[in-house]
Structure formats: C-alpha cells, structure tokens
Amino acid sequence: MIVGIPKEIKSEENRVCMTPAGVEVMVKSGHEVLVEKSAGIGSDFSDDAYARAGAKIVHTPKQIYADADMVMHVKEPLPPEYDLIREGQIIFTYLHLAADEPQTRALIKSKAVCIAYETIQKADGSLPLLTPMSEVAGRMAIQEGAKFLEMPQGGHGILLGGVPGVEPATVMVIGGGVVGTNAAKMACGLGAKVYLLDMNLNRLRYLSDVMPANCFTLMSNPATIRKLIKKADVVIGAVLIPGAKAPKLVTRDMLKTMKNGSVLVDVAIDQGGCFETSKATTHGNPTFIIDGVVHYCVANMPGAVAKTSTLALTNATLPYALQIANQGWKKAMQDNKEIKLGANIIEGKVTYKAVAVAFGLIYTPVDKLLN
C-alpha cells in the first residue's frame, strides 16, 4: 500500500502523524510512504530523517492525495483538501464529525473510506487513539487555566496553588475520564482545591481511592454544577460521548453566576464543546471573554506541545495503521472489531450512528459493507 503523510495545515498545528521510526516499520513491511516536504519540522523531524527511514519526499499535498492509497493525518481534512480526496481512498485521522457538518458532507461526497482515530474502541470501552491526546490535553488544561487566571491574561489574579496562609484556587473538573483525571492530578499537584465530577458511581469510587486528599469526587448533575460554579476559579470541561456531539453542561445562566476573571477551559471543543458559550479558538488567539469569564477553547491543544504529542500519538496509531496497510480496510475491520468501530463514513455512507443522528442522515451499519 502507498501511505501518504501530508503536512498539517490547521492553524498552529505542529504535530505529524508518523515519525521516521514509524516510516521505517511501514517500509520494512513492504509499503511505500510518501511524506510531504517539511511535514515533520514542527515536531523536530527533518526531511532527511524521513528519507533515511525509506520515505519518498514529495512537494505538495496534491501529490500525496493523487498517489496514496491511505492518507494519514493528525487533524481532520480542511476545505482546501476536500476536492483532493479520491473515491475509495482511506482517510485515517481524527475526524470529530458530529461537530462538523460541512466536513461530514464533504467526506460523504468524496466516497472515501474515513476511519476516525477517536472512535476506535477496545472491548473495555477505552479509546486507545484518543487516550494519549486526552492525557496531554488534560494536563495542558490546568497549565492554561493557571496562566489565564493571571491578571495580564484577563484573569482575576489568583495563584492556583496559593501560598502558606493564603487559600488556593478552586478548580471544578466536569468529567472523570482520561482528560478529567489528568487535569485533576495536575491541579492537585499544584495545590488547588479540586472538585472532580462524574456520572458513573463506580468511576467515582475508583477516583476517590487514587486521587490526592485535596480532590473531592462528586456525582455530576445540574444542581451540583450550579452550586460549585459560583465559587470555581477554573472550570475544566472534560466530557465525552464517543463520536457524538458533547452535551452543554454549563449554560449561559450559570455563566452569569461565576466570578469575574474566572476561567473556563473547554477540552470538549473538538466535539462541539460542553459550555453553551464555547466557540473554537486557535493557539494564536486562544481566548475570549463573555460575562467577565475567560473562555479557552483551542481545538487542537496538544499541537502546542508537538514533540511530546507526536510521539505519544504515533506510539498508539502505528499498529492500527500497519494492520490496515497490511490487510486493506475490509479485512482489517473483519479481523479487528476495534478498527471496525473507527468506520465513520465509507464510500458515501455514514457508518457511525452518532454522526448520522447529529445531522439527520441515513445510518448504514458497517457490517453491511464488509460482506
């Protein structure tokens, strides 16, 4: 199979979807790898490193899409790429379709085979290709929250961990999954008073056992959020319904009760955001203020720490990419249910139910296309 690695074109996105080490594995397995010039520069991988690993360096994304059987990305295809995608071509990347109708319709029109990192799922319900970036984003959420509490950034001037004799900041984390747990760990480590909310009582029991003493676990519901949001200095939105649009858990009315200069960090923005007032921002212009509350809603947070993120991501994606390349998408999905759950759009048909529901489209079970 010919595998294409284009340079990411999303704003301030410095990650790359395959390292030279991954290219070497692909080439030794008999595949050809095309890498767009400078694709790895933001993650400190030179074109020479890719060439030494066996890749062919090409100069334009058009060449990648024209020749590759499978195109891998980090972030979703953007409008300049839509017309380059070919019928039957495999697109393997984060897609987040339930929050992006134009992209969904463009991929349907392309009749490509679109496999989403974020919906590949293990038997235990874990999301192996989302987990590493969720770990990064959860930890970054607290760094960003702490920074934007500073007065020059629009915050109300509280040090997250306080100092002896001065109370620390209060952090509310909504969602006790991978993002929320990593955010809570970081906030606790800095000395904040942390409330960690989730709807799963078994999960709360586990978190209560493993988290530090300055982390308080609570059942998530509107009443609890309304009560805590009044005293929170930082609120982390860390909710996820795999493949579906995020629920709006913090309403505009709740926002009006928050302290001036408090900070919302919406890690769920890729899936539409879990705060009613959220809208996607970029690393170049990461925040906006509504009702005196600073909103941080960067849609590709891990792109700011590309060296860490690229290694963490490619450690997870390479085995799946290799199986798809070795077997083709149909056989890979027949043999590996995890990859089958990644099927979002195949040859013009929506094969992930949450995406079909989001936009009122016809849902086609993927098994119908694998016979």
Side-chain angles (χ1 to χ4, degrees):
M1 188 175 282
I2 301 174
V3 180
I5 312 298
K7 182 175 173 63
E8 299 295 319
I9 60 173
K10 194 177 183 81
S11 177
E12 287 94 25
E13 180 52 74
N14 296 298
R15 291 172 288 180
V16 63
C17 66
M18 192 178 292
T19 65
V23 169
E24 183 180 355
V25 171
M26 278 284 185
V27 171
K28 284 185 175 178
S29 296
H31 307 292
E32 184 178 350
V33 182
L34 309 178
V35 176
E36 186 180 349
K37 183 177 172 59
S38 302
I41 295 299
S43 296
D44 208 23
F45 298 118
S46 67
D47 291 343
D48 284 346
Y50 282 107
R52 287 195 300 272
K56 178 183 176 183
I57 307 300
V58 300
H59 289 271
T60 66
K62 191 173 182 179
Q63 289 174 271
I64 298 269
Y65 282 97
D67 295 341
D69 303 301
M70 175 166 68
V71 176
M72 293 182 65
H73 250 303
V74 176
K75 294 303 289 180
E76 70 280 354
L78 294 181
E81 298 171 288
Y82 293 165
D83 289 339
L84 300 178
I85 299 170
R86 301 191 338 264
E87 182 173 347
Q89 192 168 53
I90 300 166
I91 305 297
F92 188 34
T93 184
Y94 289 118
L95 291 172
H96 301 292
L97 293 177
D100 190 345
E101 186 171 0
Q103 185 201 174
T104 300
R105 295 193 180 277
L107 294 179
I108 291 170
K109 182 182 176 184
S110 75
K111 295 190 176 179
V113 175
C114 305
I115 305 171
Y117 290 168
E118 73 274 9
T119 63
I120 285 180
Q121 191 166 9
K122 289 185 172 291
D124 63 3
S126 63
L127 303 164
L129 305 193
L130 195 60
T131 295
M133 295 304 93
S134 295
E135 291 167 337
V136 171
R139 294 174 183 220
M140 277 189 71
I142 296 302
Q143 290 184 188
E144 301 302 332
K147 179 170 79 176
F148 286 101
L149 274 180
E150 297 171 7
M151 296 184 93
Q153 308 294 335
H156 64 149
I158 290 210
L159 185 65
L160 206 66
V163 291
V166 181
E167 209 173 0
T170 297
V171 176
M172 176 168 64
V173 181
I174 307 174
V178 178
V179 169
T181 302
N182 278 273
K185 280 181 184 176
M186 290 289 284
C188 288
L190 288 170
K193 184 176 185 179
V194 180
Y195 292 95
L196 180 53
L197 280 59
D198 199 88
M199 294 176 67
N200 184 324
L201 200 53
N202 287 330
R203 181 69 178 172
L204 289 174
R205 288 191 180 105
Y206 165 76
L207 291 169
S208 184
D209 282 343
V210 300
M211 296 302 286
N214 55 328
C215 181
F216 304 91
T217 58
L218 291 171
M219 180 60 71
S220 182
N221 56 55
T224 301
I225 294 171
R226 271 196 305 271
K227 179 181 175 183
L228 289 178
I229 208 162
K230 295 173 185 175
K231 60 182 178 181
D233 299 294
V234 177
V235 179
I236 308 295
V239 300
L240 175 71
I241 301 171
K245 199 163 185 177
K248 305 295 184 190
L249 299 183
V250 173
T251 66
R252 181 69 182 265
D253 287 342
M254 292 179 188
L255 193 75
K256 291 173 182 174
T257 69
M258 293 182 71
K259 303 173 189 175
N260 272 344
S262 52
V263 180
L264 296 177
V265 180
D266 196 342
V267 186
I269 193 65
D270 272 337
Q271 293 292 148
C274 61
F275 307 140
E276 187 179 345
T277 46
S278 290
K279 60 183 181 184
T281 61
T282 66
H283 288 293
N285 189 20
T287 62
F288 57 92
I289 296 175
I290 295 178
D291 293 339
V293 177
V294 179
H295 292 57
Y296 178 95
C297 304
V298 174
N300 60 326
M301 290 174 66
V305 288
K307 293 180 185 179
T308 298
S309 298
T310 290
L311 292 171
L313 177 62
T314 56
N315 286 342
T317 56
L318 184 61
Y320 293 96
L322 192 60
Q323 185 174 356
I324 294 167
N326 286 343
Q327 297 185 299
W329 68 268
K330 276 192 180 181
K331 187 71 167 66
M333 288 183 189
Q334 288 165 347
D335 289 357
N336 188 337
K337 189 179 178 183
E338 297 171 21
I339 294 175
K340 184 167 74 172
L341 288 169
N344 274 224
I345 295 172
I346 292 184
E347 296 173 342
K349 295 178 172 61
V350 179
T351 53
Y352 200 83
K353 194 168 188 177
V355 175
V357 169
F359 306 120
L361 300 168
I362 296 170
Y363 164 64
T364 302
V366 66
D367 286 321
K368 288 188 175 182
L369 305 175
L370 296 180
N371 298 327

